[in-house]
Amino acid sequence: MNSQLRIYDMKPGTMEEFAAKVDEELIPIRLDYGFTRSGPWIVEETYQYVWIVHYDGEGTFEEVDKRYYADPRRGEMSFNPMDYITKVDARMLTPL
């Protein structure tokens, strides 16, 4: 299984709205591509949203992730995630 840790630094006061919109609009699209997720969690001290995206299907994580980002439904969402996020730290994880 391929997994990616995603840590978002959030704009102040946006966490709850962002989390709700992610669950309602973004995650269903991810699931359609075979992704699953762990989390989300928040880091209160630094106002960060943290989750792990998993993929265990055909093709590489990167290939399927590109198709997900190109999906026209992302442009139809009622929000742009980057309107809430000030910094993205995305790292591929390797099982130990």
Side-chain angles (χ1 to χ4, degrees):
M1 176 176 292
N2 295 294
S3 300
Q4 184 182 61
L5 172 66
R6 300 184 68 84
I7 303 170
Y8 302 154
D9 292 358
M10 304 298 297
K11 293 180 181 177
T14 64
M15 185 77 72
E16 291 76 21
E17 181 179 333
F18 175 80
K21 288 183 179 289
V22 166
D23 287 349
E24 294 167 9
E25 300 182 48
L26 190 143
I27 293 301
I29 301 170
R30 279 247 182 224
L31 294 176
D32 285 349
Y33 282 88
F35 291 100
T36 59
R37 81 164 169 182
S38 296
W41 302 273
I42 62 168
V43 181
E44 290 183 16
E45 297 82 20
T46 53
Y47 209 65
Q48 292 173 306
Y49 179 97
V50 179
W51 60 311
I52 301 173
V53 180
H54 307 281
Y55 182 72
D56 193 25
E58 292 189 30
T60 67
F61 183 101
E62 293 79 7
E63 291 167 344
V64 179
D65 202 43
K66 283 181 186 177
R67 288 197 301 269
Y68 156 76
Y69 276 105
D71 190 303
R73 293 176 293 170
R74 283 193 42 91
E76 297 168 1
M77 294 188 310
S78 70
F79 77 113
N80 177 347
M82 295 313 295
D83 290 343
Y84 297 78
I85 299 169
T86 61
K87 179 183 171 192
V88 174
D89 182 3
R91 303 171 187 214
M92 293 305 295
L93 301 173
T94 304
L96 184 59

